[in-house]
Structure formats: structure tokens, C-alpha cells
């Protein structure tokens, strides 16, 4: 498995630079770090007494990488989960916070386990995730998590038309959200272009 700093560097590269898309509930974002996260951490980088979009712009790659390691890997205890699913959950935690863990817990619940879907990584989540990694195999569990994550994105598009552009390109192909989820899946587990188009066919 790649090191946590290497995974964080890949996430920074995947996220890209500064954006402030009015359709993105996260608001101003740089290298994947949102203004909300910066306010929570008190990162007034220009020392003007406010944490605003100017501070988001001022964020460096190295600062973003360290925030990911500290706040989105170490703090939620992702390292206690099976190694095979850590990269995908780390990437999703940056993208959607505790929803990343809720997706895992929902997946485990769907596999027949009695588990609370609370977004926290405790002994039960750790034990059941390892049980399924041992039972299914590492790649199968990673693929199952990726499929659940992918469907989570599609459901956002079902419910929120302004977010559909993140899941479907203008030409109808897979958008960034879907390709991002599938990056951590084996090729055989990824949807074909036709399957993707069928899934979003009801979208205007």
C-alpha cells in the first residue's frame, strides 16, 4: 500500500486548485480544502482577522496535504480499517467527510451485519470491515465500497439537478465524481459507458 503522505499528495493533485463554484455546497475550495474546514481550523493565513476566500486562495499544497493527513486520515482513525479500502475511504473523506464512513457502514449493513450508520470508526466498524475483507478478499471489498460510493454520487444527481454536472459530462459520459469512485475499483467492476448512460438516462 502507498504511504499516507503519498495518498494525500494524490488527493491534492486530483482535487486541483482554487474553485468557488456556486453549485458546490462546499463553497470556496483550494486543493480540496474547503472554506468551512479552514474556518473550523482557524486558518487566517493573511492575518486580517477573517477566514475567507482570500485565505483559501493562499493555502499551499503542503498545507493542504498536511490537513488531509491530520484531519481526514488520522483524526477519524482510517488507519484502523483494512488496508485495501483505506485509499478509497481517505479520498472520499476529503470529498464528503463522515459520509465516507457511512457508506462503508451502509455496505456492511447490506451484507447482513447489525451496525450503526453513524460515520464514526469504532471497534464494531473496524471488526466487521476486517471480517468482510477476510471473507470476500481485499479487492472484492474495495470494489464493493467503490460501487456503493458511485451509487451515492448518482443518488445526489437524482435528487439535486445542479450537481449532475459532477457525475455526468456534457457529452453524457462519466463525470468526475464517477471516474473518481471507479479509480479505486478493478476494471471489471467499473461501469461500461452504456451502463453509465442508462443510469443517468432519466436526468434532464
Amino acid at each position: 500500500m502507498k504511504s499516507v503522505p503519498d495518498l494525500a499528495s494524490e488527493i491534492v493533485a486530483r482535487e486541483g486548485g482554487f474553485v468557488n463554484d456556486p453549485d458546490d455546497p462546499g463553497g470556496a475550495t483550494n486543493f480540496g480544502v474547503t472554506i468551512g474546514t479552514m474556518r473550523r481550523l482557524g486558518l487566517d493565513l493573511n492575518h486580517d482577522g477573517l477566514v475567507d476566500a482570500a485565505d483559501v486562495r493562499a493555502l499551499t499544497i503542503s498545507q493542504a496535504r498536511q490537513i488531509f493527513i491530520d484531519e481526514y486520515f488520522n483524526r477519524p482513525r482510517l488507519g484502523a480499517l483494512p488496508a485495501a479500502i483505506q485509499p478509497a475511504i481517505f479520498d472520499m473523506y476529503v470529498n464528503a467527510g463522515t459520509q465516507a464512513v457511512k457508506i462503508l457502514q451502509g455496505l456492511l449493513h447490506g451484507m447482513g451485519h447489525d451496525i450503526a450508520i453513524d460515520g464514526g470508526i469504532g471497534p464494531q466498524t473496524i471488526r466487521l470491515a476486517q471480517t468482510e475483507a477476510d471473507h470476500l478478499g481485499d479487492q472484492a471489498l474495495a470494489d464493493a465500497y467503490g460501487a456503493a460510493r458511485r451509487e451515492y454520487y448518482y443518488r445526489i444527481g437524482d435528487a439535486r439537478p445542479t450537481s449532475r454536472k459532477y457525475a455526468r459530462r456534457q457529452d453524457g459520459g462519466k463525470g468526475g465524481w464517477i471516474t473518481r469512485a471507479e479509480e479505486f475499483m478493478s476494471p471489471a467492476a467499473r461501469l461500461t459507458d452504456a451502463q453509465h448512460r442508462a443510469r443517468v438516462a432519466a436526468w434532464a
Side-chain angles (χ1 to χ4, degrees), residues 40-88:
R40 177 171 60 82
L41 298 175
L43 295 179
D44 179 14
L45 299 182
N46 60 9
H47 308 291
D48 66 352
L50 299 172
V51 178
D52 55 19
D55 297 293
V56 178
R57 283 187 181 276
L59 189 74
T60 67
I61 289 176
S62 62
Q63 288 171 324
R65 183 167 52 239
Q66 196 59 51
I67 288 170
F68 291 159
I69 294 170
D70 294 342
E71 299 295 320
Y72 299 108
F73 191 90
N74 291 336
R75 184 175 58 80
R77 303 179 64 221
L78 299 193
L81 295 172
I85 57 175
Q86 287 179 26

Side-chain angles (χ1 to χ4, degrees), residues 92-165:
M92 185 58 172
Y93 211 104
V94 169
N95 188 236
T98 58
Q99 187 62 50
V101 180
K102 290 180 180 180
I103 289 172
L104 173 63
Q105 292 166 332
L107 176 65
L108 294 170
H109 183 270
M111 292 174 171
H113 298 290
D114 183 13
I115 182 172
I117 302 175
D118 58 9
I121 297 176
Q124 183 188 44
T125 298
I126 295 166
R127 175 176 55 83
L128 293 178
Q130 189 59 59
T131 295
E132 289 302 333
D134 293 340
H135 173 67
L136 297 174
D138 289 343
Q139 188 58 60
L141 181 59
D143 286 345
Y145 180 83
R149 177 184 180 183
R150 180 177 61 202
E151 183 56 27
Y152 167 77
Y153 287 138
Y154 280 134
R155 288 198 304 269
I156 292 176
D158 291 338
R160 194 166 67 210
T162 56
S163 293
R164 290 173 182 172
K165 62 184 179 182

Side-chain angles (χ1 to χ4, degrees), residues 150 154 167-175 178-179 182 187 189-201:
R150 180 177 61 202
Y154 280 134
R168 180 188 61 182
R169 299 194 312 261
Q170 287 187 340
D171 66 2
K174 295 176 184 177
I178 306 307
T179 58
E182 291 189 335
R190 299 169 187 167
L191 295 181
T192 65
D193 184 65
Q195 288 171 324
H196 161 74
R197 289 174 184 273
R199 176 61 181 82
V200 300

